[in-house]
Amino acid sequence: MADLSSRNPDWWRQAVIYQVYPRSFADADGDGLGDLKGVTEHLNHLATLGVDALWLSPFYPSELADGGYDVADHRDVDPRLGTLDDFDALVAEAHRLGLKVVADIVPNHTSHLHPWFQEALRAGPGSAARDRYVFRPGRGACGELPPTDWQSVFGGSAWQRVPDGEWYLHLFAPEQPDLDWDDEEVRADFRTTLRFWSDRGVDGFRIDVAHGLSKDLAEPLRDVGGLGATGEDALLLVPPGSHPYWDRDAVHEIYRDWRRIFDAYDPPRTAVAEAWVPDARRALYARPDELGQAFNFEYLAARWDADELRRVITGSLATAHAAGASATWVLSNHDVVRHASRLTLPPGTDPGAWLLSGGTEPAVDRAAGLRRARAATALMLALPGSAYLYQGEELGLPEVADLPEEVLQDPIWTQTGHAQKGRDGCRVPLPWTPEGPSYGFGPGASWLPQPESFAAYAVAAQTGVEGSTLELYRTALRLRRKLLDGETLTWMTGAPPGVLDFARGRGWRCVTNLGEEPVALPAGELLLASAPLADAGILPPDTTVWLA
């Protein structure tokens, strides 16, 4: 069994980490917004679920121009979410329950309300205050054109003009000006931030936009032409490490510097990179002298197809092994359509277009989607490495695709001129009870409306109910902790088409039927099934079993 004790420096290698999006987890003070006290009050849910750690999405002061990822102070708590004392109480209770705490660090940009950026606006062109950010004069006869053709991830130009005529870079929302990581003051300030939270008991860090810090700012700035702003496709069109602002080789020197800080603690602080880069490049962020681990988005993006998933799993394990890291697996998070809905969309469906239709084109069979999601989770939890769960997936929550336009808050909605609905549908607050104005999320209404169907998904409605999705997760996580041994798997020979079949250490085996027809079930003691088996010798479609 893997050693996940508090002093084990390798606790993260095969841990299960639960992502908490604080504003949508639990509301203790009744203002409709989730808060840190709400998280603390429900930590026992995570402990009984059987996870090893919780990852807190940003809880810092923010005007919520991007759901908290527009940070006005990297070393404080948003007053609407609580205080530093509330944070300390959360960490203390988590540690009492045996849970690690991972904090989200946002180093690529700040909020435009950050004191540094406000100082830069007052100081004017050529000032040291502006050197912390990326300010440049515009092009054109009067500087009326952006400095380059760089595009924001959220749509439109990545440059915003200020009244004195200069432009500043924002690869995300205009309220999120990019920092210049060539500036030593920026680097020193984040060293202070990492120590600040580590000293408060944080066990690790999730690094937001880890591939975006370093930028080629040599004059003249270069246009990207047809490379685009987002996605791995742009990186495949240029020599590795040479894109003007994504995944540049120079970013790794920053993380080697950070590793020295992490390793100064006992046990060392962990880190995981959010880096949307091709597989081979991801390994660089996961090296032991850098962040140590990186999210595996190839797995999240893979279709429900046995051949594709086997290729992704095999490649991901090899990549992690080459880096000296463990593999990571994730099916849902705060940025993507929940997998209980996504996995049942027909091949080739554009999730963005599906969201714009309110989830009606095509219509989704929720029962079929949940069945597939449960099978996918059981498969993921059998894989060697770390599994990252997103809050609410243990309840089987689907995407809330039909949120009315007037309640949408994701900046993608406005930045794209209503061409993309955004990510609000996966951020709808959790249901804890089948009744109440917000199904137990808080004493009043929630900041995003919950559908009536959430009552059936509530924690209280599923607890102790045989066959419920919540009890499936609890059982799988309890078994996983007992069965873990080593970080390898062995593909079994002779698996039928559409079936994934592999063995792990300690003599157990995972079999998933991704095909359309039932198949014969291999011999062995049944430890777990993602769905009921009508015939003990048959494995139905969209079903995963663990066998001894």
Side-chain angles (χ1 to χ4, degrees):
M1 174 176 166
D3 178 11
L4 297 173
S5 63
S6 61
R7 307 307 301 176
N8 174 23
D10 293 327
W11 67 267
W12 51 273
R13 295 190 69 92
Q14 293 206 77
V16 177
I17 299 95
Y18 183 102
Q19 181 188 358
V20 171
Y21 190 74
R23 291 167 175 82
S24 296
F25 191 71
D27 171 22
D29 62 13
D31 66 354
L33 198 66
D35 45 48
L36 295 187
K37 285 186 177 179
V39 177
T40 304
E41 290 174 359
H42 288 81
L43 284 176
N44 194 58
H45 171 68
L46 305 189
T48 57
L49 186 63
V51 302
D52 303 299
L54 65 147
W55 147 30
L56 282 170
S57 290
F59 49 84
Y60 314 109
S62 168
E63 66 172 338
L64 303 183
D66 181 22
Y69 283 87
D70 48 312
V71 179
D73 185 343
H74 289 82
R75 297 191 289 274
D76 204 352
V77 174
D78 191 311
R80 291 167 293 183
L81 273 67
T83 65
L84 283 170
D85 286 342
D86 293 331
F87 178 84
D88 292 341
L90 188 160
V91 172
E93 178 63 5
H95 287 167
R96 186 188 73 80
L97 292 169
L99 299 167
K100 305 286 189 181
V101 178
V102 176
D104 212 318
I105 293 294
V106 187
N108 181 70
H109 44 261
T110 71
S111 166
H112 68 140
L113 300 181
H114 192 287
W116 274 5
F117 192 72
Q118 291 298 305
E119 180 187 357
L121 293 179
R122 293 191 301 268
S127 63
R130 289 204 174 180
D131 288 343
R132 301 173 183 140
Y133 295 90
V134 184
F135 280 87
R136 291 293 186 275
R139 296 187 291 193
C142 301
E144 72 278 9
L145 299 176
T148 68
D149 66 354
W150 299 358
Q151 295 291 295
S152 164
V153 171
F154 293 156
S157 174
W159 296 94
Q160 182 79 12
R161 201 176 192 189
V162 299
D164 58 39
E166 280 203 325
W167 299 71
Y168 68 86
L169 179 67
H170 62 89
L171 289 178
F172 292 85
E175 296 87 354
Q176 295 170 290
D178 279 55
L179 290 163
D180 184 348
W181 274 84
D182 289 336
D183 187 89
E184 179 52 38
E185 193 173 0
V186 170
R187 297 188 179 216
D189 191 71
F190 271 89
R191 294 186 194 107
T192 299
T193 293
L194 295 173
R195 293 188 180 102
F196 179 87
W197 295 112
S198 295
D199 290 344
R200 298 192 94 92
V202 165
D203 301 285
F205 300 94
R206 179 261 190 189
I207 313 303
D208 185 60
V209 195
H211 60 306
L213 277 58
S214 178
K215 299 170 179 71
D216 181 4
L217 299 176
E219 297 293 346
L221 298 181
R222 14 178 207 137
D223 286 341
V224 296
L227 295 182
T230 62
E232 297 176 21
D233 291 345
L235 299 175
L236 297 174
L237 299 175
V238 296
S242 67
H243 191 278
Y245 47 86
W246 291 139
D247 189 37
R248 294 187 56 76
D249 287 337
V251 78
H252 297 288
E253 183 256 324
I254 297 170
Y255 299 134
R256 284 190 288 272
D257 179 46
W258 287 14
R259 175 46 59 187
R260 289 189 284 272
I261 295 173
F262 299 152
D263 286 349
Y265 290 86
D266 181 22
R269 295 329 189 217
T270 67
V272 59
E274 183 212 26
W276 291 86
V277 299
D279 190 58
R281 296 288 295 180
R282 188 177 68 245
L284 304 180
Y285 295 84
R287 289 178 291 194
D289 65 339
E290 294 192 30
L291 297 177
Q293 200 171 56
F295 281 126
N296 175 10
F297 294 118
E298 282 88 351
Y299 186 76
L300 183 151
R303 295 175 298 126
W304 187 245
D305 176 86
D307 292 338
E308 181 172 344
L309 278 170
R310 176 166 177 160
R311 177 185 58 78
V312 169
I313 291 168
T314 301
S316 300
L317 290 171
T319 297
H321 178 75
S326 62
T328 63
W329 315 103
V330 61
L331 287 166
S332 285
N333 63 36
H334 65 293
D335 283 333
V336 299
V337 172
R338 286 187 175 275
H339 70 279
S341 298
R342 187 185 72 248
L343 287 177
T344 197
L345 293 174
T349 301
D350 177 2
W354 178 75
L355 287 173
L356 279 176
S357 77
T360 62
E361 299 177 13
V364 169
D365 182 333
R366 285 195 176 180
L370 180 57
R371 181 184 181 95
R372 186 167 287 184
R374 289 162 56 110
T377 295
L379 167 62
M380 178 181 76
L381 292 176
L383 294 171
S386 296
Y388 285 80
L389 309 180
Y390 178 51
Q391 65 177 42
E393 70 169 83
E394 77 278 15
L395 307 178
L397 289 185
E399 184 80 1
V400 183
D402 59 353
L403 286 171
E405 295 178 1
E406 61 269 20
V407 307
L408 298 179
Q409 300 195 29
D410 193 332
I412 291 176
W413 175 243
T414 53
Q415 286 281 104
T416 62
H418 300 177
Q420 295 183 38
K421 201 168 185 178
R423 302 159 293 177
D424 290 319
C426 65
R427 301 176 180 183
V428 174
L430 296 188
W432 293 93
T433 61
E435 64 284 320
S438 57
Y439 302 109
F441 170 69
S446 59
W447 66 281
L448 282 173
Q450 302 152 301
E452 292 182 3
S453 61
F454 265 33
Y457 293 97
V459 174
Q462 297 193 48
T463 297
V465 177
E466 185 177 357
S468 70
T469 301
L470 176 57
E471 294 301 338
L472 172 68
Y473 270 72
R474 287 173 172 168
T475 300
L477 291 171
R478 183 176 65 251
L479 283 170
R480 184 181 191 276
R481 189 180 290 267
K482 293 179 180 178
L483 295 169
L484 285 181
D485 185 26
E487 295 183 13
T488 61
L489 60 75
T490 301
W491 293 107
M492 306 300 289
T493 59
V499 172
L500 292 178
D501 185 353
F502 59 84
R504 293 289 313 273
R506 298 194 175 222
W508 65 294
R509 184 170 173 183
C510 175
V511 188
T512 302
N513 183 2
L514 297 91
E516 299 180 358
E517 300 295 332
V519 297
L521 189 63
E525 177 191 356
L526 182 65
L527 302 175
L528 179 81
S530 66
L533 304 182
D535 185 327
I538 298 296
L539 182 62
D542 294 339
T543 306
T544 294
V545 295
W546 295 1
L547 303 171

